[in-house]
Amino acid sequence: TQLLEQSPQFLSIQEGENLTVYCNSSSVFSSLQWYRQEPGEGPVLLVTVVTGGEVKKLKRLTFQFGDARKDSSLHITAAQPGDTGLYLCAGAKGNEKLTFGTGTRLTIIP
Amino acid sequence: NAGVTQTPKFQVLKTGQSMTLQCAQDMNHNSMYWYRQDPGMGLRLIYYSASEGTTDKGEVPNGYNVSRLNKREFSLRLESAAPSQTSVYFCASSLSGSAYEQYFGPGTRLTVT
């Protein structure tokens, strides 16, 4: 059972454009992590959000945790080719095992 | 400091063959995980070990066994490989439980014919 749905599944945009990807669930999570994965490598953590409504910024990337802690979004401003990759959200309930989302494959066209 | 290492990087098996995927971490982490990644499915947890000496089933444990050999090493064994086990396998570790960042290895690409 896939508890975390990500949308869109694929996204291809021009360099310099803005974009938002979403991570949605019907379950409440105590924390949510976002990872980026490049071809041939394992995922690498970008950020962890813990509090409902929390917003974290990482350079041009803005992460938001929903007020009810059931969903999250990732917004990228002025996308660059280096942002290309597979973006995965993952939710934790307490200290139980993480549940990963289905992923958004992002391609930035120079 | 190598982080999480996995061997082998690529493997081709025939149906019914067995093999063991090796994983080691040098970060003194307590928790270790095995995932498989299939197109459109994200990462699915096969088995995990919350601490040395313990292992638990994840979402898709059938056809797999694990051994937490010591704090550093966590191996995944396929006793009788099936084509449905064709996938990319990732090992990960975290300080203590899922609330902490997971560090992933580079993956093993397994094909079962």
Side-chain angles (χ1 to χ4, degrees):
Chain A
T1 303
Q2 189 61 260
L3 297 179
L4 277 168
E5 296 290 338
Q6 291 186 242
S7 60
Q9 189 175 359
F10 299 94
L11 182 59
S12 183
I13 64 170
Q14 295 288 135
E15 180 178 359
E17 294 184 347
N18 301 332
L19 67 108
T20 302
V21 298
Y22 300 92
C23 173
N24 293 296
S25 174
S26 57
S27 297
V28 176
F29 293 102
S30 56
S31 66
L32 196 134
Q33 301 173 7
W34 281 92
Y35 290 79
R36 180 168 65 207
Q37 183 180 15
E38 300 191 14
E41 299 181 8
V44 176
L45 182 72
L46 295 173
V47 78
T48 301
V49 286
V50 177
T51 306
E54 181 177 3
V55 176
K56 280 193 174 179
K57 292 193 175 185
L58 186 67
K59 297 183 181 178
R60 296 174 293 99
L61 279 60
T62 301
F63 303 84
Q64 182 161 10
F65 201 11
D67 291 341
R69 291 186 284 126
K70 293 182 178 181
D71 53 80
S72 181
S73 63
L74 159 59
H75 182 78
I76 301 179
T77 304
Q80 299 179 1
D83 296 327
T84 292
L86 178 66
Y87 288 80
L88 295 161
C89 64
K93 298 184 179 183
N95 211 23
E96 295 178 11
K97 46 193 181 291
L98 277 180
T99 298
F100 278 84
T102 49
T104 292
R105 189 166 298 279
L106 175 64
T107 302
I108 309 301
I109 303 165
Chain B
N1 189 342
V4 179
T5 57
Q6 291 183 237
T7 55
K9 194 161 180 64
F10 299 94
Q11 184 71 49
V12 179
L13 291 177
K14 294 185 187 300
T15 297
Q17 289 184 319
S18 62
M19 78 162 296
T20 300
L21 282 65
Q22 306 286 353
C23 173
Q25 52 91 9
D26 62 3
M27 295 173 283
N28 202 34
H29 284 171
N30 291 307
S31 302
M32 298 186 74
Y33 312 84
W34 276 106
Y35 293 92
R36 61 177 289 173
Q37 186 173 38
D38 302 292
M41 301 292 289
L43 286 161
R44 292 183 293 170
L45 184 66
I46 304 171
Y47 270 94
Y48 66 105
S49 173
S51 60
E52 185 179 358
T54 69
T55 60
D56 286 286
K57 295 179 180 180
E59 182 185 354
V60 288
N62 290 345
Y64 306 95
N65 284 299
V66 291
S67 296
R68 183 75 183 266
L69 304 170
N70 48 54
K71 192 172 186 178
R72 290 187 65 247
E73 298 172 288
F74 189 38
S75 62
L76 178 72
R77 183 160 178 83
L78 286 70
E79 290 290 353
S80 180
S84 61
Q85 293 178 304
T86 293
S87 188
V88 182
Y89 291 85
F90 288 98
C91 176
S93 71
S94 70
L95 181 61
S96 183
S98 296
Y100 294 88
E101 173 181 4
Q102 295 197 7
Y103 293 80
F104 286 81
T108 295
R109 186 172 295 274
L110 174 67
T111 302
V112 183
T113 61

